[in-house]
């Protein structure tokens, strides 16, 4: 691929902006977001002592993963982090039967998986 860096930047851009945006809008209202998440997860089998810290961690993780994807820092490991985060979110959404949220989380996961595939296939400096 002739111009991998430019192409890969524009492929990362939509998912980076999505994750960055999720984090950015939640960070200023972190306590309100946490309360919403705890209330949303009341019917879950996941105990609240696990949900509360995660509800504060999530916006920070979304923001950082989005930012790191945007700037292209440690892209492969950032994608893995994003996939782990999406897997945790899918587990939480499944525990409350929020199937529509799972659709969005799976879409993010597929997009991240596609980025990883593209990175592995076309990055001229990756170790194959």
């Amino acid at each position: 691929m002739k111009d991998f860096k430019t192409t890969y930047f524009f492929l990362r851009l939509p998912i980076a902006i999505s994750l960055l945006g999720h984090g950015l809008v939640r960070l200023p209202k972190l306590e309100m977001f946490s309360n919403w998440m705890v209330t949303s997860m009341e019917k879950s089998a996941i105990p609240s002592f696990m949900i509360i810290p995660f509800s504060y961690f999530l916006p920070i993780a979304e923001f950082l993963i989005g930012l790191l994807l945007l700037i292209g820092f440690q892209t492969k490991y950032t994608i893995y982090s994003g996939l782990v985060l999406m897997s945790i979110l899918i587990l939480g959404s499944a525990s409350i039967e929020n199937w529509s949220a799972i659709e969005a989380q799976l879409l993010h996961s597929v997009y991240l998986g596609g980025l990883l595939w593209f990175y592995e296939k076309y990055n001229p400096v990756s170790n194959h």
Side-chain angles (χ1 to χ4, degrees):
M1 167 156 295
K2 267 187 178 180
D3 195 4
F4 173 81
K5 286 184 178 186
T6 302
T7 301
Y8 201 57
F9 170 77
F10 282 105
L11 289 174
R12 290 190 326 260
L13 190 59
I15 194 77
I17 296 299
S18 177
L19 289 166
L20 186 69
H22 273 84
L24 277 176
V25 300
R26 293 173 175 166
L27 283 172
K29 55 182 181 182
L30 204 47
E31 189 172 347
M32 189 167 56
F33 174 74
S34 176
N35 291 336
W36 170 82
M37 181 177 263
V38 169
T39 302
S40 297
M41 298 297 290
E42 283 176 341
K43 294 180 183 176
S44 170
I46 302 169
S48 64
F49 76 85
M50 293 175 73
I51 293 169
I52 293 169
F54 184 75
S55 70
Y56 284 95
F57 167 78
L58 177 59
I60 297 165
E62 290 170 325
F63 173 80
L64 288 175
I65 292 169
L67 180 64
L68 294 175
L69 281 172
L70 188 63
I71 65 173
F73 182 76
Q74 295 291 322
T75 307
K76 186 175 181 178
Y77 299 108
T78 302
I79 291 170
Y80 286 142
S81 299
L83 288 167
V84 168
L85 183 64
M86 288 303 129
S87 299
I88 294 167
L89 290 172
I90 289 167
L91 176 64
S93 295
S95 75
I96 58 170
E97 300 181 81
N98 187 348
W99 311 123
S100 60
I102 292 173
E103 290 173 9
Q105 293 153 355
L106 284 171
L107 183 60
H108 278 74
S109 300
V110 168
Y111 199 105
L112 288 166
L115 278 179
L116 185 59
W117 175 84
F118 189 88
Y119 180 86
E120 291 291 329
K121 183 157 179 71
Y122 295 108
N123 185 3
V125 294
S126 72
N127 299 327
H128 294 294

